[in-house]
Amino acid sequence: MNKLQLHRKTPKEISGNLLYLMGATWKTKSMFDLDCREDSFCKILNKNNIETFAFDIPDTCHEDVLQATYDIVEKYNIRNVMGYSYGCIAAFEAGIKYKLDNVILLDPFSGTQIKNKEFDTYYTYNVLDVKETVDAFSNMSEGVKENYLNSLGSFIFNSPKYPKIFSKSSYDFYTNKSVLSLSQSKITVAFTNCVKEEVYSKYEFLSPRMYDSSHWILLEEGRMQLANDVLSLIRS
């Protein structure tokens, strides 16, 4: 894959697969598969015989993210995709294009903002600003928090520039009831307690799942229930 590192975890027995598309700020090993004593979200799925795929979002453009997603879906016959935050856009696009079995959207168009500096092709974040936001809004254990912050870097880290503010026409397309209803994939939307009412109302007809966790749900206890729900969808 053109300059992208694919993170593939294959259990001894495979009963399904899932491509995880992350938010632009986070890397695979900092949230989906954090190295920690506690089971990561990825490890929970692997222990239940789900083969997982993920890649770190490139510091290039949204089109490269879409192309990488399409390449993985085609090469590995992906049948289930889960998008988190920014990753929901590519997950939705892939679901429509390939008629996937399940498209799981976690916190689409919503989330907790972190201070950043904007450059031509990327954003720069200060780990101390991330810690301040995590302390204020999340509910992860101290051990997980320490591992998470360490995974981001010693002080400064970058994330790719993506369509952070969508035009009204783009937003209307991704939240259009007719578009969502006509999709041949089963679309499941899940929100954490950070969801904004104007976003929730766009997906209300899908009866979104709600979790009493922050935007960092994959690092909180709430990931256990979320993982069980994802497993049920894949098995069905």
Side-chain angles (χ1 to χ4, degrees):
M1 267 191 336
N2 188 20
K3 296 183 179 179
L4 291 179
Q5 181 180 0
L6 177 65
H7 301 274
R8 180 183 184 183
K9 292 290 186 73
T10 305
K12 290 182 179 179
E13 296 183 12
I14 301 174
S15 61
N17 63 30
L18 176 84
L19 170 61
Y20 170 75
L21 299 169
M22 64 200 65
T25 312
W26 322 116
K27 304 301 183 183
T28 299
K29 300 298 286 185
S30 66
M31 185 168 286
F32 180 64
D33 193 22
L34 179 71
D35 288 325
C36 195
R37 289 183 180 181
E38 299 180 24
D39 282 352
S40 68
F41 190 81
C42 174
K43 188 173 289 186
I44 296 171
L45 298 180
N46 295 156
K47 284 185 174 181
N48 286 273
N49 301 325
I50 302 301
E51 185 175 27
T52 56
F53 299 80
F55 63 90
D56 294 341
I57 301 297
D59 292 339
T60 50
C61 63
H62 180 64
E63 288 68 28
D64 287 347
V65 175
L66 281 178
Q67 190 57 57
T69 300
Y70 296 161
D71 290 345
I72 295 170
V73 169
E74 291 179 4
K75 182 173 181 178
Y76 298 101
N77 191 29
I78 300 297
R79 298 309 310 157
N80 305 280
V81 62
M82 176 179 173
Y84 161 70
S85 198
Y86 161 68
C88 290
I89 304 169
F92 183 67
E93 293 275 11
I96 291 177
K97 182 177 176 67
Y98 295 101
K99 302 174 184 175
L100 302 181
D101 296 337
N102 285 287
V103 176
I104 303 160
L105 308 178
L106 174 62
D107 268 359
F109 300 102
S110 68
T112 305
Q113 297 298 315
I114 301 174
K115 287 187 253 182
N116 63 68
K117 292 183 179 180
E118 183 176 347
F119 294 88
D120 288 342
T121 60
Y122 61 92
Y123 300 99
T124 293
Y125 292 84
N126 185 315
V127 174
L128 293 179
D129 290 332
V130 177
K131 181 180 186 304
E132 181 180 309
T133 307
V134 167
D135 287 341
F137 295 101
S138 77
N139 187 28
M140 64 183 80
S141 70
E142 288 302 317
V144 170
K145 184 190 299 183
E146 181 180 359
N147 280 269
Y148 165 64
L149 294 172
N150 288 340
S151 75
L152 298 177
S154 57
F155 189 64
I156 300 290
F157 69 99
N158 298 337
S159 74
K161 199 167 189 177
Y162 62 96
K164 192 169 185 179
I165 301 176
F166 288 83
S167 66
K168 186 176 186 305
S169 59
S170 297
Y171 178 78
D172 286 346
F173 173 77
Y174 288 105
T175 58
N176 184 278
K177 186 173 182 178
S178 297
V179 174
L180 292 165
S181 298
L182 291 173
S183 172
Q184 295 187 42
S185 302
K186 177 177 174 55
I187 297 178
T188 301
V189 183
F191 286 115
T192 64
N193 57 24
C194 75
V195 63
K196 299 175 181 177
E197 178 56 36
E198 60 266 31
V199 176
Y200 178 86
S201 63
K202 291 285 186 177
Y203 295 96
E204 192 169 8
F205 75 99
L206 291 173
S207 299
R209 289 167 165 78
M210 297 296 298
Y211 296 90
D212 189 21
S213 299
S214 75
H215 199 52
W216 282 266
I217 184 174
L218 296 187
L219 299 178
E220 299 176 4
E221 283 298 313
R223 73 184 181 279
M224 305 297 181
Q225 184 58 57
L226 177 61
N228 286 332
D229 290 345
V230 170
L231 288 167
S232 295
L233 288 168
I234 295 174
R235 289 166 177 164
S236 64

